[in-house]
Every structure is written in C-alpha cells, then in structure tokens.
Amino acid sequence: MIPAEFRYLCPSTVDEAVRMLVEEGEDAKVIAGGQSLVPVLRMRLAAPTALIDIGGLTELTGVRDDGDSLLIGAMTTHYEVQRDHLIHDHALLLKLVTDTVADPQVRHRGTFGGSLCHADPAGDLLAPALALDAVMIIAGPGGRREVPASEFFVGYFETALAPDEILIDVRVPKYTGWGAHYEKLNRVAQAWSIVAVAAAVQISGGTIAAARVGLTNVGSGPVRAVDVESALVGQPVSAISDAALLASSGDGYKDNLARVLTDRALTAAVAG
Ligand SMILES: Cc1cc2nc3c(=O)[nH]c(=O)nc-3n(C[C@H](O)[C@H](O)[C@H](O)COP(=O)(O)OP(=O)(O)OC[C@H]3O[C@@H](n4cnc5c(N)ncnc54)[C@H](O)[C@@H]3O)c2cc1C
C-alpha cells in the first residue's frame, strides 16, 4: 500500500527539528532509519501529516567517551554499534544484542535511538538499555532533559517522549571487563525475539560481584530481573541456576522460557 500524503521536512540542527515538531503539531513524526516507521506508514497504521527526517543530523551519530560513561548518538546505526570499539570495550552487551537484530540491510539503516523510541516490546535493545541503567537525553521546546530507562519505557510501543521531543543521546555507564551474553529465542534466524535475556556479569576473585539482567518480550515493555541480580551478588558461579529460577514474566509459558534463557545467558556471560 502507498502511505497517506505527508509533508517531508529536513532540519539541519536538533533545535530546528524541535521547532518543526512544535510548528507541525502532534500529528507530525520524526523519522530516523525508517525501518519500523515506513512499514507502519505503508500499512496505513499511522498517517502523520509531516515527517521530520533527522537522518541529516550528523551531531546525533557516533559514540563518545564521557568519562565513566559512553554517549551513544540516537542516529548511530545498528551497524555502527556492532563495530564501535568503545562499545566493544565498555558495553559489550550492546554489541552482542545488536548482532542479533534483523539482517545486515536493516542494521545499516536502523538506528539505536529509533529502536528505543519505537518501544516494540519484542525489540532487542530495550532490555539491555534497562539492565545497563541507560539514561535518555531528550531535546524539546523547553530545553534538554534526562530520563532513566526505567522511566522511559512506559508501555506497549509507548515511551516518556512528548510529541514535540527528540531523543538525541543515550548515556550508558561503562561496564569495562564485564562478561556479557544475549540469549535470544526466535523461530528462525533474523526473526524477532519470542523471549530473550540480556545478561552482564562482573566476576571478582571467583565470585559474582555484580549482575545485570534484562528480559525481552515478556510484557508490554522490557523487564529487569532484579531478584535474579540480587540473588547473585557475592555468590559463586554455581549459584546461577538457582538464581535464574527467580526470573519471572507473570505468564506460565514465558516464565519457563525466561528462567531457562536466564540460566543460559548468565552461564555464557561468566564464561566470557
Ligand atoms: C525486516 C525487519 C526485521 C527487524 N528485526 C528486528 C529484530 O530482530 N530486533 C529488533 O530489535 N529490531 C528489529 N527490527 C527493527 C529495527 O531494529 C529498526 O531499526 C528499529 O526498530 C527502528 O529504528 P529506525 O531508526 O529505523 O526508526 P524509525 O523506523 O525511523 O522510527 C521508529 C519510531 O521511533 C521514532 N523515532 C525514531 N528516532 C527517534 C528519535 N531520535 N527521537 C524521537 N523519536 C524517534 C519515530 O518517530 C517512529 O515512531 C526489524 C526491522 C525490519 C524492517
């Protein structure tokens, strides 16, 4: 199907993009890589009156070192995330998760920020963003504000972004030296997750010093397995299987999957 008619606008700065969103009203939409939005437009599930294309905003691309954390530009593509050495060294989980997203064609166009803003519960980047305590840096008519991932994902395809706001950067604390793994159950290679588990673990002196665990597609948004995380702290690696039993989705079938996949994800994460 052909999308409904819309105005197409290309800002050259973030501030101009925000001004356009304000002027065009709440039926305008930002378009980033278009990998989720274009199918939605073609199926006429949405008919925005204007598309503000932020693809030309080079200030939103790339990964920067910011002391204790990384700043990942919202327009950084999945392909760039996979290959970035800062992400490899300090947020390995994000690289491993991104390796499983779609196919090379989609990864060249789709963006890190677009995935988070789209907030598809089956989207792979939401659970690691939550588990790694990422913070969203947002530009709007009132200036900049920061929203932790725990408050950003508010429901099914829904975030804390207002219609006139743009996600510009994502701050991710450094997890240097942590082991990581993403255990994704999907029907066929390159398909979306049925359930998946993102795990990062810090080992010190043979015991688990800290753990981060996020669950994909077990509810209307990502879920952090806090009970699993706290059960692991100070424990030997042999505690993983018992701790994984605490993973829960509130649904029988997915509960089982969550537990099995949490066990596998943590076991693989500690193995490096
Ligand atoms: C065939 C196929 C398979 C896929 N498989 C997977 C998969 O296995 N796992 C997975 O996680 N994803 C998958 N995806 C989705 C892919 O990861 C997309 O890249 C991602 O969901 C959206 O990113 P985008 O840059 O294309 O955003 P767009 O499609 O441009 O935008 C998506 C939404 O986010 C909003 N938005 C985008 N950027 C911003 C911003 N900076 N500020 C405010 N709002 C913004 C848009 O207005 C729109 O509502 C798949 C996509 C396709 C087409």
Side-chain angles (χ1 to χ4, degrees):
M1 219 188 287
I2 297 173
E5 198 175 311
F6 53 81
R7 278 158 51 70
Y8 178 72
L9 303 166
C10 287
S12 45
T13 63
V14 168
D15 290 343
E16 191 186 357
V18 170
R19 264 200 312 278
M20 286 174 171
L21 278 174
V22 172
E23 282 164 17
E24 295 293 328
E26 61 179 30
D27 287 333
K29 258 204 163 309
V30 164
I31 183 163
Q35 297 303 294
S36 294
L37 186 55
V38 170
V40 166
L41 299 183
R42 287 176 63 98
M43 287 185 277
R44 298 219 177 179
L45 295 172
T49 49
L51 287 186
I52 319 282
D53 187 346
I54 57 171
L57 303 185
T58 48
E59 61 196 289
L60 300 189
T61 59
V63 181
R64 285 116 61 209
D65 193 322
D66 194 39
D68 292 340
S69 57
L70 300 180
L71 282 173
I72 307 174
M75 282 300 299
T76 308
T77 63
H78 300 313
Y79 176 83
E80 289 162 342
V81 167
Q82 282 183 287
R83 278 153 189 79
D84 188 89
H85 72 95
L86 288 171
I87 289 195
H88 184 274
D89 292 350
H90 305 295
L92 180 62
L93 181 60
L94 292 181
K95 180 221 164 347
L96 300 178
V97 171
T98 307
D99 287 345
T100 75
V101 169
D103 51 48
Q105 199 177 347
V106 171
R107 292 198 294 265
H108 271 84
R109 300 283 315 168
T111 64
F112 185 67
S115 290
L116 300 177
C117 294
H118 191 54
D120 184 331
D124 290 299
L125 288 156
L126 284 60
L130 181 67
L132 297 180
D133 287 319
V135 175
M136 314 298 157
I137 304 176
I138 294 168
R144 307 290 196 252
R145 69 182 180 114
E146 300 199 357
V147 179
S150 56
E151 292 167 23
F152 184 74
F153 303 111
V154 295
Y156 194 68
F157 291 98
E158 207 185 336
T159 69
L161 278 173
D164 54 7
E165 289 185 317
I166 297 176
L167 176 66
I168 54 173
D169 276 314
V170 181
R171 182 187 301 283
V172 179
K174 285 183 179 171
Y175 293 87
T176 318
W178 287 48
H181 186 75
Y182 192 53
E183 188 72 23
K184 175 169 172 172
L185 180 79
N186 49 4
R187 258 184 325 108
V188 290
Q190 301 174 351
W192 295 77
S193 289
I194 296 170
V195 171
V197 177
V201 182
Q202 186 185 40
I203 302 286
S204 173
T207 58
I208 299 171
R212 301 283 187 273
V213 182
L215 311 181
T216 297
N217 209 16
V218 297
S220 60
V223 170
R224 184 154 175 186
V226 279
D227 292 345
V228 177
E229 293 178 0
S230 15
L232 288 170
V233 177
Q235 299 300 315
V237 168
S238 56
I240 284 177
S241 293
D242 282 344
L245 294 175
L246 300 170
S248 172
S249 70
D251 157 300
Y253 166 66
K254 286 200 168 176
D255 255 358
N256 250 345
L257 279 179
R259 288 168 188 161
V260 171
L261 299 178
T262 298
D263 192 350
R264 288 187 198 163
L266 285 163
T267 303
V270 298

